[in-house]
Amino acid sequence: MAVENKRPLAKDALAFAQMRGEAADDVVAAVVDGQLKDWRDPIPEGASVRLVHLNDPEALQVLRHTAAHLLAQAALRLFPGTKLGTGPATQEGFYYDMAFETPLTQADLPALEAEMQHIVTERLPIDRREVSREEALELFAQQPFKCEIISGLPEGARITVYTQGGFTDLCAGPHVQHTGQVGALRLLSLAGAYWRGKAGNPMLTRVYGTAFADETALARHLEMTEEAKRRDHRVLGRELKLFTFVDEAPGMPIFLPNGMALRNTLESFWREEHRLAGYQEIRTPMMMNRSLWERSGHWDHYKDNMYFTDVEGVPYAVKPMNCPGAILAYQSESHSYRDLPLRYAELGLVHRFELSGTLHGLLRVRAFTQDDAHLFVTPDQMEAELARVLELVDHIYRVFGFPYRVELSTRPQDAMGSEELWERAEAALKQVLEERAVPYTLNPGEGAFYGPKIDFHIQDALGRFWQCGTVQLDFQMPEKFAIEYIGEDNQPHRPIVIHRAIFGSIERFIAILTEQYVGAFPLWLAPVQVKVLPIASAHEAYARHVAQYFVEHGLRAVADLRDGKIGQKIRQAELEKVPYMAVVGNKELDSQSVAVRKRGVGDVGPQPYRAFTEELLDEIRRQRQRREAK
């Protein structure tokens, strides 16, 4: 609702609701000019206002933030002397980092949760007030972590505290009206966390929980959480022998043979799709002179996330991104307008420093391979090439059955270049999205430092969204590196660069695929497509022969020659989620056949092994034909 009055309409969202004749009992916040605000904030004149009620999606963040305060209050009631760190809401719930005089264990969580439930039943009003730095330091004199936060605030910073019952916490909000609005909550687990995420700081106990407006929503979430555990790629990766991590290289995965088979299949598919789309593949150095990164702008914007070394006294940096290397490839020869658009694609290994506490399997790593591409285009080609990129992204996501949503991210605060160039770039991205009728949401201020971008968030089987693909329009780096092409007028001109990734990173995409399929990959992706199982040692030579025939005809096949009963071998292949098994015994040896078992189906009968080979190859071909038809 647009508010046109020149005077403030209401002192807060509750008064605003009453003015509109609406019930205010379940109001927990307000969206004012697109920003989520505490319900206690005054409604400014001329603002666009939407009240947030308990059942609205935005309410979860507010409710969970309040639940974190309930956790801290309960901890102080049960464990006096607890030192409080910070307790934010998260996408899945909330957590609070605390230092306990006696170490907290999982066995303590039921009592802590019960005390939180008691605070809910107390329906304690939650009040907010603004305090001076001196007042805040006095209020939290017994809380050293809070005092550290307060002392680090800039001069003149607004400091607010929230009080419920006898408990007061330092917080910017927002929070619900009273503790009774936290309808359902559950404490989930414990973990260690360095204070402020920095090694060397005190290790605190992080207590994780989640909260919802009602028990039904909580039960549904817990059910989804259990399903997510069943799909956890870290567990499946270990069970299926896809990858491993070692202490000697934290955050840097080691791909095992099965994982490499999956990865190579993905990369081969990627290469073929890009070849058909007119891309040329390049490879750029993993480490380059520091001066290059200073020139590109990465040094000023990204040096805290980079790795460095010296070579013969010269400073070098391990690349966190592939972009400057692609620019150097372009500069290796002169270009005319007839060469453009020039599409360079690269599967480039990059390294980025991530705090150890944030590492999470293949989803958050320090070394990963970006499926990058850099398109060098003339201004007249820009929109057509952007449209081609959108088509390729859509095609590849459809191959894997992923629906997706799109965000347009605009100029950030640390942007390079003039506002005029940014406006031009943003307008171009908007135009190509709107001309192709692609629904999108605006993400203000979240563009890359060198240009606006379109981000693609794919949705998995559990309804979770993962940001993978991105398309970034760059007018800045061509200026920084003074790259040129000779135009039709025989004069030098500046190309525009389109940065683009689709998988985002091979590692992250493998994690998402593993969880999507629960490790039961379709035939074309499966690390082992068929496993040959001899019934007895007398059948091993035939099993080797059949497996070798499969391999020679393009299938990923192995023979299980271990000692053991056939039932055990079948069970093992089922645990490994192999799509097909070929059992061989006396009858199969005599008839040059295999007894076929299909994953999820069981015994499907005997077939000549040569005919079975053609059947599998045909199934893979049909899958590819379906992919190409989409």
Side-chain angles (χ1 to χ4, degrees):
M1 172 183 175
V3 180
E4 297 179 353
N5 241 327
K6 296 301 180 184
R7 299 173 300 166
L9 290 184
K11 68 175 184 177
D12 57 37
L14 301 189
F16 183 74
Q18 292 167 357
M19 289 173 60
R20 293 174 57 174
E22 296 183 13
D25 292 348
D26 68 342
V27 169
V28 295
V31 176
V32 181
D33 289 335
Q35 299 293 315
L36 186 68
K37 298 289 186 180
D38 194 293
W39 67 265
R40 299 161 186 82
D41 290 337
I43 304 297
E45 61 177 301
S48 171
V49 182
R50 179 168 57 84
L51 298 178
V52 176
H53 300 268
L54 266 176
N55 290 323
D56 291 335
E58 298 94 339
L60 272 181
Q61 177 183 339
V62 185
L63 188 149
R64 288 168 175 171
H65 197 171
T66 303
H69 279 220
L70 267 65
L71 171 57
Q73 183 177 14
L76 286 172
R77 284 184 177 183
L78 297 182
F79 309 102
T82 297
K83 305 305 180 188
L84 304 179
T86 56
T90 68
Q91 189 173 356
E92 297 296 322
F94 62 90
Y95 67 79
Y96 215 114
D97 291 343
M98 296 174 275
F100 293 89
E101 292 182 343
T102 301
L104 198 73
T105 69
Q106 196 74 22
D108 295 315
L109 293 190
L112 200 53
E113 183 181 303
E115 186 60 33
M116 291 174 69
Q117 298 281 10
H118 179 66
I119 296 170
V120 171
T121 63
E122 291 181 281
R123 298 175 64 85
L124 301 173
I126 302 174
D127 299 317
R128 181 185 70 182
R129 64 190 177 101
E130 189 169 337
V131 297
S132 66
R133 186 186 302 267
E134 292 71 23
E135 287 178 283
L137 289 170
E138 184 177 348
L139 267 174
F140 297 100
Q142 304 304 312
Q143 293 290 343
F145 301 120
K146 300 291 184 184
C147 288
E148 182 180 326
I149 293 172
I150 296 163
S151 298
L153 292 173
E155 196 65 36
R158 182 171 181 253
I159 302 175
T160 56
V161 297
Y162 285 79
T163 299
Q164 55 201 47
F167 170 73
T168 297
D169 204 354
L170 177 73
C171 188
H175 289 284
V176 299
Q177 296 183 44
H178 57 80
T179 60
Q181 287 184 312
V182 182
L185 57 86
R186 183 69 51 85
L187 293 185
L188 302 173
S189 61
L190 301 174
Y194 288 113
W195 168 235
R196 292 192 156 180
K198 293 183 179 179
N201 281 352
M203 177 67 75
L204 307 183
T205 299
R206 177 169 293 180
V207 183
Y208 286 98
T210 193
F212 288 86
D214 57 63
E215 290 291 342
T216 300
L218 174 61
R220 187 164 55 246
H221 171 79
L222 294 175
E223 182 180 333
M224 292 288 285
T225 301
E226 287 304 309
E227 178 62 16
K229 288 180 183 177
R230 187 175 76 89
R231 294 172 180 263
D232 190 331
H233 76 280
R234 295 168 298 178
V235 176
L236 291 167
R238 183 171 59 250
E239 292 175 350
L240 302 179
K241 299 179 181 178
L242 300 178
F243 57 85
T244 188
F245 288 90
V246 295
D247 292 340
E248 290 80 0
M252 302 179 188
I254 295 174
F255 278 86
L256 303 174
N258 282 349
M260 280 305 299
L262 171 60
R263 182 187 182 116
N264 287 339
T265 302
L266 280 175
E267 292 186 0
S268 295
F269 164 72
W270 181 90
R271 285 190 167 98
E272 179 64 8
E273 294 295 338
H274 282 73
R275 183 185 68 82
L276 294 172
Y279 288 75
Q280 302 174 68
E281 187 172 0
I282 63 171
R283 176 67 59 89
T284 62
M286 194 173 71
M287 184 176 71
M288 290 180 278
N289 193 295
R290 187 177 113 177
S291 62
L292 177 77
W293 305 101
E294 292 172 343
R295 187 176 182 186
S296 70
H298 289 90
W299 177 261
D300 290 334
H301 295 82
Y302 219 78
K303 63 178 179 290
D304 292 340
N305 297 92
M306 296 171 67
Y307 293 97
F308 305 98
T309 188
D310 280 356
V311 179
E312 297 180 337
V314 178
Y316 280 73
V318 179
K319 68 176 178 181
M321 297 174 186
N322 298 307
C323 322
I327 298 288
L328 296 181
Y330 181 88
Q331 286 183 317
S332 67
E333 58 181 317
S334 59
H335 298 280
S336 84
Y337 70 96
R338 296 180 184 277
D339 300 324
L340 306 186
L342 184 62
R343 308 179 187 101
Y344 284 155
E346 178 177 14
L347 291 170
L349 177 63
V350 299
H351 290 72
R352 298 180 186 177
F353 173 69
E354 302 280 358
L355 294 170
S356 58
T358 66
L359 300 176
H360 185 84
L362 296 180
L363 291 171
R364 192 74 176 267
V365 290
R366 289 174 173 168
F368 59 95
T369 301
Q370 283 189 315
D371 66 317
D372 259 339
H374 294 86
L375 291 74
F376 299 85
V377 304
T378 69
D380 291 342
Q381 296 167 340
M382 179 176 64
E383 290 180 14
E385 283 302 303
L386 287 170
R388 284 172 57 92
V389 168
L390 294 185
E391 289 174 3
L392 183 60
V393 172
D394 181 73
H395 165 69
I396 288 179
Y397 287 165
R398 286 178 183 274
V399 166
F400 299 96
F402 285 125
Y404 60 90
R405 69 185 184 199
V406 176
E407 288 183 356
L408 173 59
S409 299
T410 58
R411 188 175 190 265
Q413 289 186 347
D414 63 347
M416 293 194 314
S418 69
E419 288 191 30
E420 180 183 354
L421 284 177
W422 273 86
E423 289 171 1
R424 182 181 172 192
E426 290 172 8
L429 292 181
K430 286 180 183 177
Q431 183 170 337
V432 74
L433 287 171
E434 290 168 3
E435 284 182 351
R436 293 183 56 80
V438 177
Y440 70 92
T441 57
L442 203 60
N443 199 9
E446 294 299 322
F449 65 84
Y450 49 78
K453 60 178 181 169
I454 298 171
D455 287 330
F456 299 84
H457 300 256
I458 64 174
Q459 186 177 24
D460 68 12
L462 293 182
R464 300 172 300 184
F465 283 92
W466 306 93
Q467 195 274 312
C468 290
T470 186
V471 181
Q472 302 170 359
L473 196 53
D474 183 5
F475 291 89
Q476 312 299 333
M477 207 165 289
E479 293 287 343
K480 290 255 180 195
F481 286 89
I483 60 174
E484 297 177 341
Y485 67 92
I486 302 302
E488 290 185 76
D489 58 1
N490 210 33
Q491 296 299 312
H493 296 269
R494 194 79 74 214
I496 297 164
V497 176
I498 299 172
H499 305 247
R500 192 239 66 194
I502 299 178
F503 291 151
S505 88
I506 298 292
E507 290 76 6
R508 183 179 175 85
F509 203 76
I510 286 174
I512 296 167
L513 283 176
T514 302
E515 298 193 356
Q516 176 78 357
Y517 294 120
V518 203
F521 299 104
L523 180 64
W524 77 283
L525 281 176
V528 177
Q529 294 169 321
V530 57
K531 202 167 190 182
V532 185
L533 310 178
I535 292 175
S537 59
H539 311 120
E540 288 180 1
Y542 180 57
R544 286 195 198 95
H545 169 74
V546 171
Q548 185 61 28
Y549 183 88
F550 290 156
V551 170
E552 289 173 355
H553 285 76
L555 294 172
R556 294 188 290 275
V558 295
D560 186 346
L561 304 178
R562 297 171 302 166
D563 292 335
K565 296 180 179 180
I566 189 63
Q568 294 172 323
K569 293 182 179 181
I570 290 172
R571 176 59 180 155
Q572 183 61 35
E574 289 173 342
L575 291 173
E576 293 170 359
K577 303 180 188 288
V578 177
Y580 286 96
M581 290 170 255
V583 180
V584 296
N586 288 332
K587 288 191 298 183
E588 290 75 28
L589 176 58
D590 292 340
S591 61
Q592 294 292 284
S593 66
V594 292
V596 179
R597 296 183 64 86
K598 186 175 182 179
R599 183 181 63 204
V601 176
D603 187 7
V604 296
Q607 288 190 53
Y609 71 83
R610 289 180 175 85
F612 179 55
T613 302
E614 290 305 316
E615 183 178 303
L616 294 189
L617 293 173
D618 188 53
E619 181 177 337
I620 293 170
R621 280 192 292 267
R622 289 197 309 271
Q623 289 178 349
R624 182 160 187 86
Q625 287 166 359
R626 286 198 297 271
R627 294 203 303 275
E628 290 176 348
K630 290 179 180 179

